[in-house]
Amino acid sequence: MIGQFSWDWAFAFSIMPDLFSGLKLTVIATLFGSMIAVVFGLVLCIVRVARLPVLSMIADLFIQLVRGTPFLIQLFFLFYIAPQWGLSFSAFATGICALGIYYSAYAAEVYRAGLDDVPTGQWEAALTLGLPLPRVWLGIILPQAIFAVLPVMGNMVITMFKETALLSTITIMELLAQGKSIGSIQFRYIEPLTLVGVLYFTVSYTAAKTIRKLESRHAA
């Protein structure tokens, strides 16, 4: 029984290529999911704060609905139910869309906080000068708001990276799924699951340190 829990370095090194393959999928899913969240979240935020009839209400309801339900339910909905309505994608594309949609609701709130930090005097000055509203938004307000929330957005991406582990529930062989698969085939879980945890920690920690350095440069 004791030998069953001993660490085998040869086995650990032999499974690293498979784990790196899973890590590659995890990183790709995070990158594409982040792009969807950043862009769609910005659209949601603008529509919400613009107070457009009907559209702003729909955007607000969407944000509240997405934030108020677990990610796993949304993932299962897109994977199992959406195809019945003709919205059928590969498991990997479904996972990316689910990540992007879920975190777009949080990104919208982050953007809104950034907009709130922009002094109202800048709005008033720009409008007093007669600048077109699109130019005020794109040239003055949004750049300041986005730059202010970059550290928070970075932390959101790190959280998304760790959340990709749930994509294993819809047959995506990301990092955790690779570790579980190796463990079930080889009847050894200590090496694959430990290495999975180490890889998650290494990437997350490196990204967090990078964000802190960028934040400190901005503060300086």
Side-chain angles (χ1 to χ4, degrees), residues 81-182:
I81 299 177
Q84 300 178 19
W85 297 345
L87 299 174
S88 181
F89 304 98
S90 67
F92 191 56
T94 300
I96 290 174
C97 289
L99 285 169
I101 292 172
Y102 182 73
Y103 280 95
S104 68
Y106 289 90
E109 290 296 296
V110 173
Y111 283 128
R112 185 176 64 82
L115 289 174
D116 289 342
D117 284 341
V118 177
T120 55
Q122 296 198 25
W123 285 95
E124 296 168 355
L127 295 176
T128 301
L129 291 172
L131 296 177
L133 192 57
R135 186 178 175 184
V136 175
W137 269 100
L138 298 176
I140 300 175
I141 304 302
L142 282 180
Q144 295 182 71
I146 292 173
F147 192 73
V149 300
L150 281 179
V152 182
M153 284 294 186
N155 290 325
M156 185 190 74
V157 173
I158 294 173
T159 302
M160 184 189 296
F161 171 74
K162 292 181 285 187
E163 198 87 341
T164 56
L166 293 176
L167 300 186
S168 62
T169 59
I170 59 170
T171 73
I172 297 175
M173 294 303 293
E174 44 70 60
L175 181 56
L176 178 60
Q178 285 285 4
K180 290 168 59 180
S181 175
I182 293 169

